[in-house]
Amino acid sequence: ERRGLSIGTPEGFPDWAEARRHFVAQLGQHEARLRAETKCEFLSCDTETLPVLLRHLRGLYGITPAYAGRHLSAKERIARMAAYEVPAARALVAARGIKLGTLKWADAMMRSNGLLRGRSMPPVNGRIGYRLHDLQNLPKRSPEATILRSTVVAPPGHLLVNADYDAFELRLLAAISGDDGLISACNDPAGDAHSANADVLLGGRSP
């Protein structure tokens, strides 16, 4: 929090302005694909269009409310459709990721003068939260996110260390509960503890 993130030039681009133009072009391509798939020229990735798009997708692809997730919000239903390879939903999710995530971070990094700081705040659930720039939620699951993350560099005299726990919460639950199935899944070096747990919870129907 005190030192912040040192920000360099996006990998594969001469400067931030060129990288931002690339992001905007990608956004335009995803929205064009969305309109082509749905045959609706007025659709974009704005939040207000999600319920409209959801109704349209149901009719276009014959999707039932149960398939889309009757109990879910419009945003969550779109994400589920994207996971099931519905083309228009995938285009929408990609476009929203750029407009609501990538461009926001790109603009902040362009204004950072090489150093991006966040301010942590302790929420009531005990997790780390941030005001200003939410440094723990830098995008990561898209080609654009890879470009953004390439700009995070170690300051002079320091190294960046990337480390993560493997199914940490599930392993804690296994240790505390003593559940044989969970312990076996967590100790299987060739398996995926989360998939094994989903198989049990969903009766062998995990994706």
Side-chain angles (χ1 to χ4, degrees):
E1 176 185 357
R2 292 193 303 271
R3 187 174 298 277
L5 291 178
S6 294
I7 304 299
T9 303
E11 189 174 293
F13 297 89
D15 52 40
W16 268 106
E18 188 65 29
R20 194 184 193 285
R21 282 192 287 271
H22 169 75
F23 296 148
V24 172
Q26 291 299 108
L27 171 61
Q29 289 181 20
H30 289 307
E31 289 197 323
R33 195 165 80 250
L34 169 66
R35 290 189 286 270
E37 288 286 346
T38 59
K39 309 294 191 296
C40 286
E41 287 299 319
F42 65 89
L43 287 176
S44 72
C45 65
D46 294 328
T47 303
E48 305 83 63
T49 68
L50 287 184
V52 176
L53 179 59
L54 185 59
R55 290 194 295 271
H56 188 77
L57 289 180
R58 286 177 183 166
L60 186 65
Y61 295 104
I63 296 172
T64 65
Y67 171 91
R70 194 188 306 271
H71 59 291
L72 302 176
S73 68
K75 178 181 176 181
E76 291 168 330
R77 292 181 188 185
I78 295 293
R80 172 173 286 191
M81 292 180 192
Y84 282 103
E85 306 288 337
V86 176
R90 289 176 65 84
L92 177 65
V93 169
R96 282 174 58 83
I98 295 175
K99 187 168 187 178
L100 305 180
T102 301
L103 288 177
K104 180 193 77 170
W105 278 102
D107 290 341
M109 289 173 166
M110 290 175 70
R111 296 190 302 265
S112 68
N113 292 320
L115 189 63
L116 189 66
R117 286 193 172 96
R119 181 173 298 173
S120 64
M121 51 183 287
V124 294
N125 61 7
R127 297 175 67 90
I128 297 174
Y130 280 91
R131 287 180 291 175
L132 299 179
H133 305 299
D134 193 0
L135 301 182
Q136 66 180 356
N137 285 327
L138 190 64
K140 61 180 179 180
R141 292 190 176 92
S142 70
E144 295 76 26
T146 301
I147 296 172
L148 285 180
R149 287 178 170 254
S150 74
T151 68
V152 178
V153 296
H158 294 76
L159 294 173
L160 277 179
V161 177
N162 184 8
D164 192 13
Y165 288 105
D166 182 14
F168 184 55
E169 294 88 349
L170 204 58
R171 294 176 188 279
L172 281 177
L173 181 60
I176 293 171
S177 68
D179 184 89
D180 292 336
L182 273 181
I183 293 173
S184 176
C186 290
N187 288 335
D188 182 1
D192 181 328
H194 288 297
S195 293
N197 189 46
D199 282 339
V200 173
L201 295 176
L202 300 176
R205 293 182 288 110
S206 66

